[in-house]
Amino acid sequence: MVAHFDRRLRKAAVTTTVAALAVAALSASQAPDVTADGNGRQTTADNVPASETPAAESATGNSPYYTDLPPLNSPKPAPTAGTPTSPGTSEAGIPATVLDAYKKAESELRLSKPGCNLPWQLLAAIGKVESGQARGGRVDANGTTIGRIIGPQLDGNGFALIQDTDNGVYDGNSKYDNAVGPMQFIPSTWAWAGRDGNGDGKADPNNVYDAALAAGHYLCRNDWDLSVQADLNRAILSYNNSQDYLNTVLSWLEHYRKGTHEIPDGTGSLPVGRSDDPGAGANPSPGGTGAYPGSQAPATATPGPKPSPSKPPAPGKPGNSGGPSTKPPTDPAPPTGSPTPSPTPTDTVHHLENAGTTGLTATAGDTFAEQISTRAETTAGAAVGKVRIRFTVLGDTDATFTGGEKVAAVTTNASGVAVAPVLVAGEQTGEFTVRATVVGRTVPGLDYRATVTERVADTLTRTTATELTCAPGGEFADPVGVKATLKGAVADKVAVTAALIKSEADPAENDKGPYFKDADGKAVRTLTGLKTGADGLLELPKLYADDAEGSYVLRLTTPGGAQLDITLKVAKVAEPTPETSTEPSTQPAA
């Protein structure tokens, strides 16, 4: 009833929109597994970017979105008979699986990026605007959409021009990219932003858990704090670069913050207005099940009331556009051909070259002294400026760029050079790769090898001067404590090896004398995996002695060359001798 009522109110203004929706739905019905929004429709002023951020750098490629706004408050006084019920209750409901995905993503981001302050309601607002909460919650038990949700191809015809970056793996299009899934990621963005949100071992843009977690990480990059309005705006605009998009998402964010509830999967209301539908501006959502581009089954539009047989308005009066005809306006005939777009700087890139990066090595926990530089060139080797280069940290490593991100995009300068942000080494040692690629163009990437080495110390000193002695078969009462330094400064988290050796001249492990105990209580005479604390201090485990008396050597070593030999003694405790009296005897003589 509500949907029918809304269509009656809007019929005169959106006749052509209804027709467009019907065509899109008909097209969708021809593909049983793949559902797509209509292609080739012209954008309105709403889709003009609010800044110069390239579409390929937004999550969606600035694809179309749903413009429906939250419903108005329930009318006061209460509606009388014949007045449609307020859709507020329906619109506040979010399908159960979709809602669970948003909340699970928020929970994970609270742990991994607490400074971002991501609210799940923001994910819900974006999910509503991008796909109508996965088309009203049409997902299976694992959170994967029933039928893929694919936006129009970004071929430059009314949309951004983004050539294929995934060989059609996600969007089925090997010529251009399309936004994919409930959060509408373009493949080139999903390639680095994708996450496994449901723990099945893969990142699938068609899965609401994966897509919601990916969207959360995307919105939390650049050290943004989403509790700060300016950062919140920047994050939303980076998702889809349109001021109207920002306003629409903020409206839904506020709506969901006021309250929402869980509804069964598949029962959510479906959006109507699209930013790429001429004449279909942002309107309060009807809360019904009207035509929805991308639905599996086409919806049939309910015709409005028949035109009144009364005499049409006279020319020049309100409601008349200059003549007595009541014939609805028709869309202009589509152009017979589209002009070939002028090549962009990105189109001219043939390959990437190393712009002078020579060696990438850092100690664990430190920053890399050198930054990666990449040069974009044409076939002839000429520099190409104003091209986005994406740098991605690959491999089994915890190294990141400044800010904790493993992906960064930088625009080349007039010399064709893009300099990546500073790399920060984690605690994991070994080699990893940083790959440079051209955003929006499929050319071979350029790999840079980086190495993280162990933390080092050049000096080890004892923290006490107590002599370390023990009786045979006993245990050493005093613990062994040391401090590590590097050039006089505290050396924290430095690995220390403790070995009981035969002598200072023979570093072979001893087979007798003092020993440590392992977890099973067995004797061990070499310990590895020890590390100094934040203050550079380390206290060794308790030492024990067997029955062999003598002096022994405990040798401590660290990466960086620090070495300390400590003497341990195992000897019987000397028994006290009786004292000899010098006083004269008081006993009487015999």
Side-chain angles (χ1 to χ4, degrees):
M1 173 64 186
V2 176
H4 178 70
F5 177 80
D6 183 73
R7 282 193 294 269
R8 288 197 310 172
L9 291 179
R10 298 175 58 194
K11 182 177 185 301
V14 297
T15 301
T16 55
T17 300
V18 173
L21 294 173
V23 170
L26 179 60
S27 299
S29 68
Q30 296 171 351
D33 180 58
V34 179
T35 59
D37 296 319
N39 295 336
R41 292 176 290 182
Q42 298 295 315
T43 56
T44 64
D46 166 70
N47 270 347
V48 177
S51 72
E52 296 181 357
T53 301
E57 280 304 296
S58 72
T60 69
N62 295 338
S63 291
Y65 57 90
Y66 288 99
T67 58
D68 299 36
L69 293 176
L72 301 176
N73 293 331
S74 300
K76 294 181 180 181
T80 58
T83 302
T85 304
S86 169
T89 302
S90 173
E91 286 300 326
I94 299 177
T97 300
V98 180
L99 179 60
D100 183 58
Y102 296 150
K103 291 185 175 181
K104 185 176 180 181
E106 179 201 52
S107 178
E108 181 163 332
L109 266 298
R110 292 289 182 190
L111 295 175
S112 62
K113 295 184 178 180
C116 177
N117 294 305
L118 172 77
W120 67 260
Q121 291 91 340
L122 176 59
L123 297 176
I126 290 176
K128 178 68 175 181
V129 170
E130 292 295 345
S131 68
Q133 312 298 19
R135 295 179 305 198
R138 297 184 69 249
V139 296
D140 62 20
N142 296 318
T144 302
T145 59
I146 301 173
R148 289 182 290 172
I149 304 174
I150 300 179
Q153 69 177 14
L154 301 174
D155 57 5
N157 183 25
F159 306 109
L161 174 60
I162 304 179
Q163 296 174 340
D164 175 64
T165 60
D166 67 329
N167 294 319
V169 171
Y170 293 120
D171 54 16
N173 188 342
S174 59
K175 188 172 182 181
Y176 300 101
D177 270 352
N178 306 62
V180 179
M183 301 303 277
Q184 289 290 277
F185 278 98
I186 54 175
S188 59
T189 301
W190 184 261
W192 61 265
R195 297 292 195 279
D196 177 16
N198 61 352
D200 63 358
K202 62 181 179 180
D204 181 4
N206 301 295
N207 182 279
V208 70
Y209 286 99
D210 296 357
L213 183 58
H217 277 280
Y218 184 90
L219 294 164
C220 285
R221 70 197 194 287
N222 298 331
D223 284 337
W224 282 329
D225 179 355
L226 302 185
S227 65
V228 177
Q229 189 64 46
D231 281 358
L232 176 63
N233 292 351
R234 292 187 188 99
I236 296 172
L237 285 171
S238 77
Y239 209 92
N240 192 313
N241 196 15
S242 159
Q243 186 63 40
D244 285 349
Y245 180 88
L246 171 65
N247 295 338
T248 304
V249 170
L250 290 176
S251 295
W252 282 106
L253 172 60
E254 181 64 20
H255 181 72
Y256 288 132
R257 276 176 167 165
K258 291 179 178 178
T260 186
H261 58 279
E262 178 184 299
I263 60 175
D265 289 345
T267 64
S269 58
L270 304 179
V272 175
R274 292 280 292 189
S275 62
D276 57 338
D277 286 335
N283 292 287
S285 173
T289 56
Y292 184 85
S295 300
Q296 286 285 79
T300 303
T302 303
K306 294 182 179 181
S308 172
S310 59
K311 183 178 179 180
K317 290 188 177 181
N320 188 285
S321 59
S325 173
T326 58
K327 181 180 179 180
T330 58
D331 292 330
T336 56
S338 299
T340 302
S342 300
T344 65
T346 301
D347 295 329
T348 66
V349 177
H350 176 263
H351 61 273
L352 296 176
E353 288 288 344
N354 186 334
T357 305
T358 55
L360 294 168
T361 303
T363 302
D366 290 345
T367 59
F368 285 77
E370 186 175 6
Q371 291 176 253
I372 297 172
S373 297
T374 300
R375 175 181 162 96
E377 297 184 354
T378 65
T379 304
V384 184
K386 298 184 179 180
V387 173
R388 300 286 283 182
I389 304 298
R390 178 178 293 121
F391 297 95
T392 307
V393 177
L394 303 173
D396 186 15
T397 180
D398 55 354
T400 64
F401 293 113
T402 303
E405 295 296 334
K406 292 204 170 191
V407 178
V410 181
T411 302
T412 58
N413 58 22
S415 300
V417 175
V419 180
V422 173
L423 267 173
V424 180
E427 294 302 320
Q428 190 168 339
T429 59
E431 290 189 341
F432 64 94
T433 299
V434 178
R435 178 168 297 164
T437 56
V438 181
V439 175
R441 183 164 175 78
T442 306
V443 299
L446 184 61
D447 287 350
Y448 298 82
R449 301 294 295 176
T451 303
V452 178
T453 59
E454 290 183 288
R455 293 174 181 258
V456 298
D458 56 18
T459 306
L460 282 172
T461 56
R462 280 193 65 191
T463 55
T464 64
T466 306
E467 186 179 42
L468 298 169
T469 60
C470 177
E475 59 184 53
F476 288 82
D478 296 316
V480 177
V482 295
K483 182 176 183 178
T485 56
L486 178 64
K487 296 180 181 179
V490 167
D492 63 323
K493 301 180 182 178
V494 174
V496 177
T497 298
L500 290 150
I501 60 177
K502 291 186 175 181
S503 69
E504 292 183 2
D506 185 357
E509 183 179 277
N510 212 335
D511 57 359
K512 61 181 180 179
Y515 61 89
F516 300 103
K517 287 184 179 180
D518 64 12
D520 297 324
K522 296 180 179 179
V524 292
R525 290 186 167 87
T526 300
L527 291 181
T528 59
L530 304 171
K531 283 193 175 183
T532 61
D535 51 6
L537 299 178
L538 171 66
E539 185 175 291
L540 271 61
K542 182 180 286 294
L543 277 162
Y544 302 86
D546 59 16
D547 294 331
E549 297 184 67
S551 292
Y552 301 91
V553 178
L554 170 64
R555 175 166 290 176
L556 306 179
T557 57
T558 73
Q563 177 178 304
L564 176 64
D565 289 344
I566 301 174
T567 301
L568 306 176
K569 292 183 178 180
V570 179
K572 293 180 179 179
V573 179
E575 296 182 2
T577 58
E579 295 182 2
T580 301
S581 176
T582 60
E583 295 293 328
S585 176
T586 57
Q587 296 292 332

